[in-house]
Amino acid sequence: MDKQLRLPNIEPPKQLKPAKERPWPVVWVHELVILRELNAGEEFVLRRICLRRGLNILWSKSAERPQPDKLFERGLSGHTAGKTTFCRLLRYVLGEGRFGDESLRSSIRRKFPNGWVAAEVIILGKPWIVCRPLGIGPRGFACRNTTLDKLFDQSIQKEGIGSYQQALDHAILVDVPVKSLLSSGESIQWVHVMPWLTRDQECRYAHLLDWRHGTSESRSPQLDMSDRQFIIRTALGLLSDDELREIGNNARLLAERKGAREKRPLLVHQANADHQRLEEIIDRRLPPLDDGLFGQVAHKELEEKAAIVEKMKAAMQPKSDLNEAEQAMEEAMRREVETARDLEDVQNRLRVETARLTAISRDMTVEERRELFASLPPSRGYCNVPIEIAKAEGCPLSQTRPLDLGIVRAEHDLQEKKEEQERLIGIIQKDIAEKEKTLDHCRSDTASARRKLLHVRTSYEENIWRVAGSEEQVVQLRVLARHAEKAWQEAEDLGQNIERLDNEIKKSREKQKMLREQGTKALAQFSNLFDYIVRAIIGSEVAASAGFSGRGIDLRVDYRGERNSAAIGTIKILCFDLAAMTSSIEGNGSHPRFLVHDCPREADMAPDVYRRFFLFARELENCVFNGNEPNFQYIVTTTEPPPPELLEAPWLLSPVLDASRPEERLLRVDL
């Protein structure tokens, strides 16, 4: 049977009906354990805090004062006990990048260099263990379908934090009709939504869309106001189908414009760089790219350069000159080789005839003569010409036959033979001198031919390279000019496209505004719920409303005119958060039904008004039908005592913190 929510001064009473298809929070925390070291055993447990579905109160009580207040007495018993640290650790196990600012992290690491925080987190009804280090070095891990009491079982399978974060991202998108951020098109993730559900205490509940303060150093994504408002509207289900389609269209336009804005400066830079390079190479100023004459002037310059290259090619030394020089070199080398060989033959002949003269001139033994003639080179005739041809041509050397020593010994007049041999040697020596002179001329001719060939070849190759380089430069210049024109034209087209997109985005926003104005039913339902909760908290005589404008969310509290004060501002924010969660409890929107308020009593909020927030959360529990557990989790830390009837289990968490004694602080030490 549905239970009725009854609060003081609320007439008529409103019945809140939790949706049967939403039996549990999308995400909630069952247990949080702070460890000295990641080891089994209670001696390593600093704190074990068990939570529940429904209302959870972490109280840091102030010291009782039976005597009148006095100056210089202790006043920190309810403060600095660890309430905000608890919230930071809670956010840390839920995927936030850090568990505090640098000062807090350093203090905790000095005391607990091997410390860890572990939690059992329920995601879509399935338990996860998540463990993250407080010290520097180790990496966190997670285990799916496992409860915290099995943390140190050897059988559990550990995964990286990434898989756990993916499960959170999947859970937060299950009931979300729009799954991408409005401005960037980036997929909505748990880390985008969690800052709203777990506001920084440093933000002082001063603005509905202020979720993270810079001093917290949380590393949460920095979303702009429009994205934060979009997340809230999405979670509240305040988007019609037409508006969703238009939002998708708007997101596409924004992404297209963003891409165009990022690409256009790159194209302009590329075009200007090519333009400048072109001017440097041709050594002449060209019209700017936005001048219509650039293409015409650049084309004319390139045609002139191409004509110069053609003239260079026409004026090149013909290759026939190189061929002639190579042939002349080959002919000179051939003559030199032949002359050198002829000279060598005559020199060999001289040695033979000189040996014969020696043999005639003095007595030699047979052995001495054998050794003498054995040392001489083999005879090839008197010259390179065969002896038969030389005789036929009348060569005087061919008329003397080799000396037959046997006949010589038989001769009686050796003096005549000796003189004849001496005349032959003289003829040979004269021939050698002429051939040596001829060889010198041949060598000179060869050196001259070699120098000429080197000159002709160098000149030819230099011309080839010069012409090829000029042709390549012309090709490069044409490419530069073409690229400069193309990049500039693409940049101009993108500029026009950006203007078009600006106009389409403006029209899209106007259409969204019109559609929002048309979709008043869902907004009116939420506004009535917000009004109900505000009246439950500050009295039935007030009236409240919630509305959405193009750039913000308008919350009003009226009592004989609009009421504004620091306390009223905080009340509106707290009531809005509770209304968002309550709306999801009843089956509307996609709020994950998980909410944390860290010390929400701000400004001059009256104690009785503050206590009504706790009463309202308890009555939300009372709306559960058939004795089931609540389908939400609401965690509140407080210094002010909650209502007396809630200062007990199951609402009051253990331990109750006290900053006056280190052992009763959250980490049992004075940081």
Side-chain angles (χ1 to χ4, degrees):
M1 176 178 177
D2 293 350
K3 293 188 177 181
Q4 191 176 35
L5 175 59
R6 293 184 176 87
L7 293 172
N9 302 321
I10 298 295
E11 293 294 344
K14 176 181 172 66
Q15 287 189 344
L16 297 177
K17 298 180 179 180
K20 294 181 180 180
E21 68 275 11
R22 296 184 174 184
W24 49 61
V26 174
V27 175
W28 66 284
V29 181
H30 187 263
E31 188 176 356
L32 183 78
V33 179
I34 307 170
L35 301 165
R36 297 178 187 274
E37 296 180 16
L38 192 61
N39 286 311
E42 286 300 315
E43 66 271 21
F44 297 107
V45 177
L46 279 169
R47 286 291 184 196
R48 185 186 303 275
I49 300 176
C50 296
L51 299 103
R52 60 189 284 272
R53 284 154 57 172
L55 175 63
N56 297 263
I57 304 170
L58 182 66
W59 182 32
S60 177
K61 67 179 180 180
S62 301
E64 297 180 1
R65 298 185 182 279
Q67 301 297 328
D69 292 334
K70 296 180 181 180
L71 296 175
F72 302 105
E73 288 188 339
R74 289 185 178 179
L76 292 177
S77 58
H79 304 283
T80 69
K83 303 181 301 299
T84 296
T85 300
F86 166 76
C87 293
R88 293 289 176 78
L89 293 175
L90 199 64
R91 286 155 44 175
Y92 188 47
V93 297
L94 287 172
E96 196 154 88
R98 289 173 171 168
F99 59 86
D101 59 20
E102 179 62 32
S103 175
L104 176 64
R105 298 199 309 273
S106 297
S107 297
I108 291 177
R109 285 166 178 165
R110 279 196 299 270
K111 296 289 185 180
F112 309 105
N114 300 315
W116 285 73
V117 58
E120 182 180 325
V121 181
I122 314 301
I123 304 175
L124 295 177
K126 304 294 184 182
W128 281 76
I129 293 176
V130 57
C131 296
R132 301 193 70 178
L134 301 178
I136 297 174
R139 292 181 177 273
F141 62 89
C143 308
R144 67 179 74 209
N145 298 322
T146 308
T147 54
L148 201 55
D149 58 340
K150 298 179 181 178
L151 173 60
F152 297 105
D153 285 4
Q154 296 298 319
S155 60
I156 65 172
Q157 183 176 357
K158 297 180 180 179
E159 303 179 46
I161 292 295
S163 59
Y164 167 69
Q165 291 173 328
Q166 289 175 3
L168 289 169
D169 293 340
H170 169 73
I172 202 66
L173 291 176
V174 168
D175 295 321
V176 177
V178 183
K179 302 185 186 300
S180 301
L181 293 174
L182 183 62
S183 62
S184 64
E186 179 185 0
S187 177
I188 295 176
Q189 300 172 16
W190 168 252
V191 292
H192 296 138
V193 181
M194 185 175 64
W196 171 33
L197 311 177
T198 58
R199 296 173 182 272
D200 263 348
Q201 204 271 341
E202 291 85 352
C203 290
R204 317 306 305 178
Y205 300 91
H207 193 284
L208 182 64
L209 296 178
D210 284 346
W211 301 340
R212 286 289 179 267
H213 197 275
T215 59
S216 69
E217 302 178 21
S218 65
R219 284 188 174 175
S220 293
Q222 298 296 313
L223 301 179
D224 59 30
M225 285 288 188
S226 62
D227 275 335
R228 280 175 270 173
Q229 179 184 347
F230 176 74
I231 285 174
I232 288 178
R233 293 187 68 224
T234 301
L236 297 180
L238 299 180
L239 299 172
S240 66
D241 291 341
D242 289 339
E243 188 176 356
L244 288 176
R245 282 191 291 271
E246 191 55 43
I247 286 174
N249 178 54
N250 185 265
R252 178 187 60 79
L253 294 172
L254 287 169
E256 186 177 348
R257 184 179 68 178
K258 180 182 178 183
R261 284 178 171 176
E262 290 176 349
K263 186 177 181 181
R264 187 173 186 275
L266 299 177
L267 289 170
V268 171
H269 173 75
Q270 176 187 334
N272 288 330
D274 290 342
H275 181 273
Q276 181 180 355
R277 180 63 178 152
L278 192 61
E279 287 184 329
E280 291 174 353
I281 294 176
I282 67 175
D283 193 23
R284 179 182 169 181
R285 299 287 294 177
L286 294 172
L289 288 163
D290 57 359
D291 190 331
L293 294 176
F294 168 77
Q296 180 180 351
V297 174
H299 179 73
K300 181 179 178 182
E301 287 288 330
L302 297 180
E303 289 302 318
E304 291 177 358
K305 280 197 167 293
I308 292 173
V309 172
E310 291 301 320
K311 290 180 180 179
M312 291 172 60
K313 292 170 68 175
M316 278 181 57
Q317 187 175 13
K319 192 173 182 180
S320 59
D321 292 351
L322 177 62
N323 295 334
E324 290 178 3
E326 289 174 343
Q327 292 174 2
M329 176 66 184
E330 291 174 0
E331 180 64 22
M333 291 179 66
R334 183 188 64 77
R335 288 196 300 270
E336 180 183 344
V337 169
E338 290 178 354
T339 301
R341 186 178 60 186
D342 291 346
L343 176 61
E344 182 182 4
D345 288 344
V346 176
Q347 288 172 337
N348 291 336
R349 181 60 181 166
L350 177 62
R351 285 194 291 274
V352 171
E353 298 303 334
T354 301
R356 286 175 179 160
L357 178 61
T358 300
I360 294 173
S361 300
R362 63 185 180 88
D363 293 334
M364 299 178 70
T365 65
V366 174
E367 185 64 28
E368 287 177 337
R369 290 191 182 95
R370 184 179 294 112
E371 291 178 357
L372 173 64
F373 286 98
S375 65
L376 297 176
S379 175
R380 297 199 311 154
Y382 298 127
C383 62
N384 289 332
V385 180
I387 190 67
E388 294 81 6
I389 296 176
K391 287 180 178 180
E393 294 294 329
C395 176
L397 297 178
S398 65
Q399 303 306 315
T400 302
R401 293 172 297 177
L403 183 64
D404 187 340
L405 296 180
I407 297 176
V408 170
R409 284 194 299 269
E411 292 286 346
H412 299 286
D413 191 0
L414 292 178
Q415 182 63 33
E416 184 179 348
K417 278 293 180 185
K418 179 180 177 182
E419 291 175 356
E420 183 180 352
Q421 191 69 19
E422 287 175 347
R423 285 195 303 273
L424 177 61
I425 290 173
I427 294 171
I428 294 173
Q429 288 176 336
K430 184 179 179 181
D431 192 29
I432 287 174
E434 291 177 356
K435 281 182 168 51
E436 285 177 343
K437 184 183 293 185
T438 302
L439 181 59
D440 289 341
H441 287 303
C442 288
R443 286 171 175 168
S444 177
D445 291 345
T446 300
S448 177
R450 183 179 289 109
R451 287 192 298 271
K452 183 176 181 180
L453 175 61
L454 179 62
H455 173 72
V456 173
R457 179 176 290 157
T458 301
S459 176
Y460 181 79
E461 290 178 352
E462 286 179 350
N463 289 335
I464 289 290
W465 282 108
R466 186 163 53 252
V467 171
S470 298
E471 285 183 320
E472 183 179 355
Q473 186 184 71
V474 170
V475 172
Q476 180 185 6
L477 292 173
R478 283 174 173 160
V479 170
L480 283 173
R482 185 167 62 251
H483 284 181
E485 283 188 292
K486 182 180 178 182
W488 185 263
Q489 187 58 50
E490 288 181 5
E492 290 290 291
D493 293 343
L494 284 176
Q496 296 176 3
N497 195 36
I498 289 171
E499 292 182 5
R500 177 186 64 80
L501 290 170
D502 286 338
N503 292 329
E504 291 189 15
I505 289 170
K506 182 179 178 181
K507 293 178 181 178
S508 175
R509 287 173 177 168
E510 292 173 352
K511 186 175 181 179
Q512 288 180 60
K513 181 180 178 181
M514 180 190 68
L515 292 171
R516 281 197 300 269
E517 292 172 352
Q518 293 174 354
T520 57
K521 182 177 179 181
L523 177 58
Q525 183 178 354
F526 177 77
S527 183
N528 289 338
L529 181 57
F530 173 70
D531 169 70
Y532 171 74
I533 296 176
V534 170
R535 289 188 296 115
I537 299 302
I538 60 177
S540 60
E541 67 275 11
V542 302
S545 63
F548 289 82
S549 62
R551 297 294 298 171
I553 302 173
D554 301 322
L555 304 179
R556 286 179 59 96
V557 172
D558 290 283
Y559 176 67
R560 298 175 182 175
E562 185 175 0
R563 297 290 175 147
N564 285 307
S565 69
I568 291 295
T570 298
I571 290 170
K572 288 192 292 186
I573 292 173
L574 298 177
C575 290
F576 182 90
D577 287 351
L578 287 170
M581 184 174 70
T582 304
S583 179
S584 180
I585 290 171
E586 292 191 300
N588 302 312
S590 56
H591 189 289
R593 301 178 294 286
F594 172 81
L595 185 62
V596 178
H597 281 155
D598 184 14
C599 294
R601 187 184 176 194
E602 291 290 337
D604 57 346
M605 188 188 302
D608 60 330
V609 171
Y610 178 64
R611 287 192 290 270
R612 291 177 189 175
F613 285 103
F614 298 96
L615 295 175
F616 180 82
R618 185 190 64 181
E619 292 303 319
L620 276 181
E621 292 185 10
N622 292 338
C623 292
V624 176
F625 47 86
N626 298 328
N628 293 328
E629 289 186 75
N631 64 352
F632 70 93
Q633 185 176 53
Y634 181 36
I635 301 171
V636 186
T637 69
T638 181
T639 301
E640 287 290 321
E645 59 267 39
L646 298 180
L647 285 174
E648 60 182 22
W651 304 284
L652 189 65
L653 297 179
S654 177
V656 174
L657 304 179
D658 186 346
S660 63
R661 291 184 292 179
E663 63 273 14
E664 294 189 15
R665 300 183 71 178
L666 179 68
L667 299 179
R668 298 184 186 275
V669 294
D670 189 348
L671 295 176

